[in-house]
Amino acid sequence: GAVVSQHPSWVICKSGTSVKIECRSLDFQATTMFWYRQFPKQSLMLMATSNEGSKATYEQGVEKDKFLINHASLTLSTLTVTSAHPEDSSFYICSASGLGGYEQYFGPGTRLTVT
Amino acid sequence: AQSVTQPDIHITVSEGASLELRCNYSYGATPYLFWYVQSPGQGLQLLLKYFSGDTLVQGIKGFEAEFKRSQSSFNLRKPSVHWSDAAEYFCAVGAEFGNEKLTFGTGTRLTIIP
């Protein structure tokens, strides 16, 4: 149980375009979802926290107009990178919680490459 | 705000040898502590967690960790490593209950040699 999926697992897009990443909790209702960014050989940096039906809470320094997060249902959250640039290339990981006990369940990640 | 320090960036251990990965945290109250493992290009898998109670916690894959409040530490141990344990290990600390935000350490990369 407690499986979180992400789609796509890998995406290449051209500079200036937008790309959407989906995060789904497959077997539980995720009241809260988190989006992280991870640079090569570095730790996870929390970008934002989203609760179902509410606006996301962004961490300091994260551009909310560039990284649009939607948490429309208890099983789906999306991250849209708008007007992507090469510096947005990174590994994006989502996690979900909602089973109680404070635990987050992580998706497998999405590698974004902007050319 | 809470913080986590993993002093060892990279550790190399022989297969079958014991392992200890260090984690120190900073938080004013009783922390919620986690160890996660990440294989290359993958998401994170929870190894174990500490919320309260017994300070020695058992996790999956033969791992254990001990919470030592006096040392602000939560070190991960395994008595005998396997080649499949080669991965990146992250320690994380959670804030007050209800917040659920995690702060991750910088990670320790574990290499296993035959």
Side-chain angles (χ1 to χ4, degrees):
Chain A
V3 178
V4 176
S5 70
Q6 280 185 244
H7 178 79
S9 57
W10 183 41
V11 58
I12 300 175
C13 70
K14 292 187 176 181
S15 185
T17 63
S18 296
V19 61
K20 180 183 288 187
I21 302 170
E22 293 186 348
C23 177
R24 293 181 184 273
S25 56
L26 299 185
D27 50 6
F28 67 102
Q29 293 184 326
T31 51
T32 305
M33 286 186 168
F34 304 84
W35 286 96
Y36 296 86
R37 183 173 180 176
Q38 185 181 31
F39 291 101
K41 301 187 185 301
Q42 294 189 27
S43 188
L44 282 74
M45 300 300 296
L46 179 65
M47 299 174 66
T49 304
S50 72
N51 293 294
E52 185 265 340
S54 302
K55 287 185 178 180
T57 300
Y58 291 81
E59 295 299 300
Q60 191 172 11
V62 177
E63 300 176 61
K64 60 179 65 176
D65 294 330
K66 181 169 189 60
F67 298 99
L68 302 179
I69 292 172
N70 182 278
H71 191 166
S73 77
L74 285 172
T75 59
L76 174 64
S77 177
T78 60
L79 167 67
T80 301
V81 183
T82 63
S83 186
H85 291 285
E87 58 265 31
D88 299 323
S89 298
S90 191
F91 194 52
Y92 292 89
I93 303 175
C94 74
S95 69
S97 66
L99 293 176
Y102 205 93
E103 188 169 335
Q104 294 183 26
Y105 300 91
F106 286 81
T110 296
R111 183 156 308 281
L112 169 64
T113 301
V114 184
T115 60
Chain B
Q2 66 268 28
S3 65
V4 178
T5 301
Q6 292 181 248
D8 304 305
I9 297 174
H10 184 203
I11 284 183
T12 300
V13 178
S14 298
E15 190 169 15
S18 63
L19 170 71
E20 182 170 32
L21 301 182
R22 296 183 291 167
C23 172
N24 293 97
Y25 69 90
S26 174
Y27 183 61
T30 299
Y32 299 137
L33 295 162
F34 305 80
W35 273 101
Y36 287 89
V37 60
Q38 184 182 33
S39 297
Q42 301 296 315
L44 275 68
Q45 181 182 23
L46 179 68
L47 289 175
L48 46 78
K49 61 187 177 185
Y50 171 79
F51 286 175
S52 64
D54 192 347
T55 56
L56 183 63
V57 294
Q58 302 297 321
I60 62 172
K61 304 184 179 186
F63 286 93
E64 67 177 27
E66 186 171 13
F67 170 59
K68 293 185 177 180
R69 184 187 300 275
S70 61
Q71 298 177 20
S72 297
S73 68
F74 189 57
N75 294 349
L76 181 71
R77 300 193 295 249
K78 187 170 184 177
S80 176
V81 298
H82 186 263
W83 64 266
S84 60
D85 293 324
E88 189 86 18
Y89 291 80
F90 292 96
C91 181
V93 61
E96 68 273 12
F97 186 81
N99 183 306
E100 295 186 322
K101 287 170 59 173
L102 295 179
T103 299
F104 285 84
T106 50
T108 297
R109 183 161 59 95
L110 176 63
T111 298
I112 308 294
I113 56 176

